[in-house]
Amino acid sequence: MLHYTPIEKTVVGKELIRMGFDDGMLKGRIEGIEKGVKKGKLIGKIHLAQRLMKRRITSEKKLLSQNVDELKEILHQLEAELKIA
């Protein structure tokens, strides 16, 4: 499993803070990136399950419009059908 160094602990993050980026703004961006990574992982798992089940692959655009909880539910349903869960 990948682990990411918090941006504020990296050289680049420290430099951005030094340049005047508001801490709240930085945290908001970090949270946005983390949410995007989480959605990306879920979409990848959904696509894999659909491929294994030889189903039509839902477009990435459609899945990106879903929130994380909706994506988790879609994946849960697919896993239940695959009997992976």
Side-chain angles (χ1 to χ4, degrees), residues 20 59 64 73:
S59 75
L64 283 169
E73 181 57 32

Side-chain angles (χ1 to χ4, degrees), residues 44-55 57 75 78-79 82 84:
K45 289 177 182 181
I46 289 168
H47 282 167
L48 177 60
Q50 290 172 331
R51 283 188 190 97
L52 291 172
M53 298 169 76
K54 299 186 186 318
R55 291 196 178 168
I57 304 301
L75 181 59
L78 290 167
E79 287 176 336
L82 282 167
I84 292 177

